[in-house]
Amino acid sequence: MTAAAAPNDPWLQRWLPLVAERAGPDPVLELGCGTGPDSAVLVGAGLRVVGIELSAESVAAARIRVPQGAEFHCGDFREAPFPLPAGDAEGSVGVVVASLSLHYFAWDETLALERRIHRVLRPGGVLLCRLNSVNDFRHGASGPPPDGKDSFYLVDGVPKRFFDRTAVERLFAHGWRMLHLEELTVHRYQEPKVLWEAVLERT
């Protein structure tokens, strides 16, 4: 569900020591792996990856980009079970990565997905997450929200949610310890993108 990253969006680098520590011997679960740019970084750091992506074309590109150390599955990651040896069993993995892939859904679906991620992580496991910011004007955060109360827009026919700090904190209000939350401007695409970067620990 994510587009290919530009080379000048090396966001995972500073988190690799934490990811390696919390992943242990288990693979990193990547939700919305796109064409595999973040998967390649993780595998390059000696980690294993299980990636899920809705686009068959992107999955094919990811398999070419990362031919070893990762397995990629085509599907909707809202649907159970995750493609892990233990499925959605509680405590299956130590790290979940979801970069720009959790903001396409209705709020109740987003909350349900947050609960699934929480459950599949073992205590002390971490979620590395990036979400659209309400200040991401170049990528659709403009005008009044369609429902008049929530920052959930149709952008070129695709639903996208845009978060302020309060909304991020509300999404992860239960069962998480916020290790890091920062609003950043990155150069992942042709136009600069404003996003929230969050690192959360399952308590």
Side-chain angles (χ1 to χ4, degrees):
M1 289 186 180
T2 55
N8 55 350
D9 183 26
W11 75 281
L12 271 177
Q13 293 295 335
R14 64 170 167 169
W15 302 117
L16 287 176
L18 176 66
V19 171
E21 173 194 333
R22 302 300 172 94
D26 297 318
V28 174
L29 176 62
E30 187 179 359
L31 303 179
C33 59
T35 60
D38 291 337
S39 310
V41 172
L42 293 165
V43 169
L47 296 153
R48 293 186 298 124
V49 175
V50 172
I52 312 173
E53 167 60 40
L54 186 61
S55 164
E57 292 80 5
S58 292
V59 168
R63 288 172 177 158
I64 293 170
R65 174 179 253 161
V66 192
Q68 295 182 327
E71 59 180 74
F72 299 103
H73 300 264
C74 184
D76 188 333
F77 54 66
R78 291 171 293 177
E79 299 175 358
F82 289 138
L84 297 166
D88 273 10
E90 184 167 355
S92 298
V93 294
V95 178
V96 175
V97 172
S99 176
L100 302 174
S101 62
L102 302 184
H103 47 225
Y104 294 101
F105 317 119
W107 185 250
D108 60 341
E109 290 182 295
T110 308
L111 286 175
L113 184 54
E114 172 267 326
R115 287 291 86 197
R116 286 187 64 209
I117 294 169
H118 185 273
R119 184 173 66 250
V120 80
L121 282 168
R122 55 178 169 261
V126 294
L127 166 64
L128 283 75
C129 177
R130 301 204 298 178
L131 299 161
N132 292 329
S133 167
V134 292
N135 295 312
D136 191 25
F137 304 119
R138 295 180 181 87
H139 296 273
S142 60
D147 60 9
K149 61 181 179 180
D150 197 0
S151 297
F152 196 43
Y153 302 87
L154 276 178
V155 181
D156 297 327
V158 177
K160 288 186 180 181
R161 185 174 303 282
F162 295 84
F163 288 77
D164 59 14
R165 179 180 290 271
T166 299
V168 178
E169 292 173 344
R170 182 162 58 106
L171 178 60
F172 300 111
H174 304 292
W176 299 97
R177 183 164 73 96
M178 189 81 72
L179 303 180
H180 176 84
L181 180 61
E182 184 178 7
E183 188 177 37
L184 298 167
T185 299
V186 302
H187 299 279
R188 185 180 183 91
Y189 308 117
Q190 188 172 10
E191 294 285 343
K193 179 171 184 61
V194 185
L195 53 78
W196 288 99
E197 184 174 300
V199 180
L200 304 116
E201 179 183 66
R202 177 186 165 172
T203 58

